[in-house]
């Protein structure tokens, strides 16, 4: 029997815990109860639709292809004649889903948007390892689908590689299992790949150099991180310009799965800060140890100074397979993942349901804020993507080889949205609304953005460009946020304000393509409008 004192303590603990959770920032929303596929790869298009993509060799999904559009593949180990969709197009505002046709296996592939808004998708497993695919987005009322390029293919098979758009609008494809090289799309100097010895040097017995973290710096070179090391890479001359200090805390890339972002570029764009967070203990993958504690450490480094060092700090939770999402404000959302194990099928436990906000301008030791927890475990093969309305779309999680719905951590078909604190209703009166801006902006040019705000503007309204990355395996390929030089907001009548902005100086700061343009007033972002930077 429970004593009255114990019962009272139990009630007080319950009330305290409930109140604490209710007071944590952020809210959750179920967008789609069944997307039909578990999204291993996710990307947001300029038409405010979302491409969800899984592998093809998993057998039946929960979404059929359109009648007459079945895939016939004699080499498929599960379904030779496959009438199920393995990719869908989602309208987040309505929840509508449309099946897409993908022909070759996209398991652990890579992607990047091209300057014209086309999604380039490369590699995979099996018959997809050398394939190049394109998805040209269209409005929700039209019909668009995947296209497999027949006339060109990758020089090296690419499985677990990383894509990054370059200043000239081409794409570099880095690494992959058994591919210690880089290549380009379109191919440079004819077809072929270029050996990249750094990927040989960082390969260990569990191949912790897969899905390398690749960031284009505003000096035009690449910051490439693999395992626990990083280099400054001149891809034009295939030359390593700098070896950065080793990051303490063990391996950070697949399968030991931390995550990484480049913080917002601002000012004169003469500096770039890289953050790498989380990861698994070395050996957890080899030993198939799902109980091995995840790392909670983060390293932060100034990539463009002469003698950079890693500044270390700890997250509130150890985390593997977390996704780091650049928010329109310049803060970073860390979400999804687990507190033990490693990447791989059946290899993680103790899901980390608590998102964390990383506030880069706060002193070290005070940068992390714990947010309102979700209720859906998002582990292996989950994704997180910024939406134009400021929410973060959360998809996927399939820690099993096939779709499995009766497991402790089932295959996840639900799509959720997490709303940061800046979307609280009480902040609506300071949330700007963009009413005027050009559809295209040219490098180094001036242009105006007109916004309306319910309450008078106090101070500077930021205007920030956010890319639409390709999110997969705890890293968002091509993710960047650029804060533009702006004038003070000038009243323009009827509650509107005119802000004069200067576009990025060149493609090293922001490669050509479509960006979400946000106006941010006192930490509260507008709904973004898409602009093309040319």
């Amino acid at each position: 029997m429970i004593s009255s004192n114990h019962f009272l303590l139990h009630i007080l603990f319950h009330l305290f815990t409930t109140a604490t959770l209710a007071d944590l920032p952020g809210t959750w929303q179920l967008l789609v109860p069944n997307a039909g596929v578990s999204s291993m790869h996710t990307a947001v298009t300029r038409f405010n639709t979302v491409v969800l993509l899984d592998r093809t060799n998993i057998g039946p999904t929960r979404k059929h292809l359109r009648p007459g559009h079945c895939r016939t593949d004699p080499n498929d180990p599960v379904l030779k004649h496959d009438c199920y969709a393995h990719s869908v197009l989602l309208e987040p505002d309505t929840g509508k889903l449309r099946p897409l046709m993908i022909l070759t296996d996209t398991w652990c592939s890579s992607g990047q948007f091209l300057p014209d808004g086309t999604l380039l998708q490369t590699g995979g497993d099996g018959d997809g390892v050398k394939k190049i695919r394109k998805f040209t987005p269209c409005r929700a009322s039209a019909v668009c689908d995947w296209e497999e390029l027949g006339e060109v293919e990758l020089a090296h098979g690419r499985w677990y590689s990383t894509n990054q758009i370059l200043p000239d609008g081409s794409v570099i494809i880095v690494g992959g299992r058994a591919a210690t090289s880089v290549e380009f799309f379109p191919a440079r100097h004819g077809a072929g790949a270029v050996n990249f010895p750094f990927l040989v040097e960082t390969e260990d017995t569990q191949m912790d150099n897969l899905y390398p973290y690749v960031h284009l710096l505003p000096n035009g070179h690449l910051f490439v991180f693999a395992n626990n090391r990083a280099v400054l890479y001149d891809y034009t001359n295939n030359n390593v310009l700098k070896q950065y200090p080793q990051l303490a805390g063990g391996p950070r890339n697949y399968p030991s799965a931390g995550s990484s972002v480049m913080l917002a570029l601002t000012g004169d764009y003469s500096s770039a800060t890289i953050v790498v967070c989380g990861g698994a203990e070395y050996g957890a993958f080899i030993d198939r140890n799902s109980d091995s504690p995840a790392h909670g450490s983060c390293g932060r480094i100034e990539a463009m100074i002469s003698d950079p060092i890693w500044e270390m700090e700890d997250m509130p939770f150890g985390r593997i397979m977390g996704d780091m999402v650049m928010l329109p404000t310049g803060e970073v959302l860390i979400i999804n993942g687990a507190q033990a194990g490693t990447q791989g099928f059946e290899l993680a436990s103790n899901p980390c349901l608590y998102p964390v906000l990383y506030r880069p301008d706060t002193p070290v030791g005070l940068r992390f804020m714990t947010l309102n927890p979700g209720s859906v475990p998002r582990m292996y093969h989950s994704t997180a993507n910024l939406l134009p309305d400021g929410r973060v779309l959360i998809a996927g999680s399939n820690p099993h080889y096939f779709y499995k719905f009766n497991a402790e951590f089932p295959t996840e078909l639900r799509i959720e949205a997490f709303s940061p604190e800046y979307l609280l209703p009480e902040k609506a009166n300071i949330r700007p609304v963009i009413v005027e801006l050009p559809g295209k902006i040219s490098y180094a040019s001036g242009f105006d953005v007109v916004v309306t705000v319910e309450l008078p503007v106090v101070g500077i309204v930021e205007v920030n460009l956010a890319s639409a990355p390709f999110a997969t395996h705890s890293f968002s390929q091509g993710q960047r946020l650029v804060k533009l030089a702006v004038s003070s907001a000038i009243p323009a009548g009827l509650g509107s304000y005119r802000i004069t902005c200067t576009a990025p100086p060149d493609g090293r700061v922001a490669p050509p393509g479509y960006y979400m343009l946000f106006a941010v007033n006192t930490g509260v972002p507008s709904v973004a409008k898409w602009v093309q930077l040319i």
Side-chain angles (χ1 to χ4, degrees):
M1 174 176 269
I2 300 175
S3 70
S4 58
N5 286 338
H6 280 97
F7 181 75
L8 179 60
L9 286 173
H10 175 77
I11 294 296
L12 289 174
F13 176 78
H14 175 75
L15 291 174
F16 174 78
T17 303
T18 303
T20 301
L21 292 181
D23 291 341
L24 290 176
T27 58
W28 291 84
Q29 176 186 5
L30 178 65
L31 293 183
V32 179
N34 183 356
V37 303
S38 185
S39 190
M40 182 189 304
H41 319 288
T42 308
V44 179
T45 82
R46 64 189 179 95
F47 293 110
N48 296 341
T49 56
V50 182
V51 178
L52 308 175
L53 178 62
D54 201 358
R55 356 180 325 229
T56 61
N57 61 351
I58 51 175
T61 64
R62 293 298 184 269
K63 187 74 173 177
H64 282 92
L65 290 165
R66 289 175 292 159
H69 287 76
C70 297
R71 180 180 67 96
T72 299
D73 183 356
N75 297 315
D76 192 299
V78 184
L79 286 176
K80 312 296 183 186
H81 187 65
D82 186 357
C83 298
Y84 293 92
H86 302 284
S87 181
V88 299
L89 192 66
L90 166 68
E91 278 185 70
D93 291 341
T94 65
K96 291 181 180 178
L97 296 159
R98 181 164 61 79
L100 300 176
M101 182 77 165
I102 195 85
L103 295 176
T104 55
D105 192 17
T106 52
W107 184 8
C108 301
S109 52
S110 53
Q112 193 78 160
F113 280 102
L114 298 174
D116 66 356
T118 297
L119 178 59
L120 178 75
Q121 217 277 327
T122 56
D125 188 30
D127 61 359
V129 71
K130 285 192 172 185
K131 290 294 183 180
I132 300 174
R133 313 166 191 88
K134 286 185 175 182
F135 180 80
T136 302
C138 60
R139 299 191 182 279
S141 58
V143 176
C144 41
D145 213 333
W146 286 103
E147 172 194 4
E148 303 232 0
L149 304 189
E151 69 279 9
V152 294
E153 66 176 17
L154 297 169
H156 283 179
R158 302 286 172 182
W159 196 23
Y160 303 91
S161 65
T162 299
N163 292 4
Q164 170 64 54
I165 189 170
L166 299 173
D168 64 357
S170 65
V171 171
I172 189 170
I173 306 161
V174 182
R177 182 166 288 181
T180 53
S181 62
V182 305
E183 61 183 286
F184 300 88
F185 180 88
R188 294 190 174 188
H189 313 300
V194 178
N195 288 331
F196 188 21
F198 173 67
L199 295 176
V200 178
E201 298 164 8
T202 52
E203 183 175 301
D204 58 24
T205 53
Q206 56 180 24
M207 292 177 287
D208 279 308
N209 64 351
L210 301 179
Y211 278 127
Y213 305 144
V214 180
H215 300 286
L216 173 65
L217 303 179
N219 61 11
H221 300 309
L222 297 178
F223 181 96
V224 183
F225 186 100
N227 199 322
N228 59 3
R229 293 175 49 197
V231 294
L232 181 66
Y233 180 49
D234 174 3
Y235 60 86
T236 301
N237 299 300
N238 190 32
N239 185 27
V240 170
L241 303 176
K242 183 193 292 287
Q243 297 269 357
Y244 293 94
Q246 181 173 305
L247 176 59
R252 306 283 185 153
N253 294 79
Y254 184 95
S256 296
S259 189
S260 177
V261 293
M262 179 171 67
L263 297 181
L265 300 177
T266 188
D268 62 0
Y269 310 120
S270 62
S271 65
T273 306
I274 309 298
V275 181
V276 179
C277 291
E281 291 286 346
Y282 175 78
F285 182 78
I286 295 174
D287 298 336
R288 300 187 64 82
N289 185 355
S290 62
D291 296 320
S292 176
H295 292 301
S297 66
C298 289
R300 170 170 166 162
I301 196 166
E302 300 299 324
M304 289 170 51
I305 63 175
S306 57
D307 295 304
I309 60 171
W310 290 100
E311 178 185 71
M312 302 302 295
E313 52 194 323
D314 288 322
M315 296 185 288
F317 307 93
R319 192 186 300 256
I320 56 165
M321 300 182 289
D323 290 283
M324 299 180 76
V325 180
M326 287 296 306
L327 298 178
T329 58
E331 296 173 317
V332 182
L333 179 70
I334 307 174
I335 199 165
N336 297 336
Q339 298 181 69
T342 182
Q343 280 189 322
F345 295 120
E346 321 292 340
L347 291 184
S349 63
N350 192 9
C352 194
L353 299 175
Y354 285 88
V356 170
L357 186 68
Y358 179 77
R359 299 167 294 180
D361 297 331
T362 303
V364 62
L366 301 173
R367 290 178 178 146
F368 293 102
M369 176 189 290
T370 301
L371 305 179
N372 185 28
S375 59
V376 179
R378 301 283 183 176
M379 301 172 72
Y380 191 39
H381 292 152
S382 57
T383 59
N385 295 73
L386 178 66
L387 292 172
D389 61 13
R391 295 178 298 172
V392 176
L393 184 127
I394 309 297
S397 185
N398 185 19
H400 317 290
Y401 192 90
F402 299 113
Y403 281 16
K404 191 173 182 180
F405 299 103
N406 59 353
E408 180 183 6
F409 305 116
T411 301
E412 190 53 64
L413 304 181
R414 286 172 287 185
I415 306 291
E416 297 177 288
F418 179 78
S419 295
E421 188 177 19
Y422 55 58
L423 292 179
L424 286 173
E426 53 263 37
K427 294 180 180 286
N429 55 6
I430 59 173
R431 190 176 196 192
V433 176
I434 299 173
V435 295
E436 181 183 322
L437 83 164
K440 295 183 180 181
I441 56 177
S442 301
Y443 287 111
S445 66
F447 65 97
D448 288 349
V449 174
V450 178
V451 303
T452 59
V453 183
E454 185 176 330
L455 290 182
V457 167
V458 178
I460 295 292
V461 174
E462 294 182 353
V463 176
N464 302 336
L465 297 180
S467 68
F470 181 88
T472 188
H473 288 77
S474 307
F475 182 64
S476 288
Q477 301 178 17
Q479 180 171 226
R480 72 200 298 113
L481 184 76
V482 180
K483 294 191 174 187
L484 303 183
V486 298
S487 69
S488 297
I490 300 174
L494 300 176
S496 65
Y497 296 83
R498 184 173 299 274
I499 307 157
T500 298
C501 312
T502 303
D506 53 46
R508 298 176 302 173
V509 174
Y514 285 89
Y515 289 81
M516 292 176 275
L517 185 145
F518 290 92
V520 182
N521 179 34
T522 320
V524 178
S526 67
V527 173
K529 301 288 188 181
W530 290 91
V531 296
Q532 186 178 19
L533 179 59
I534 57 176

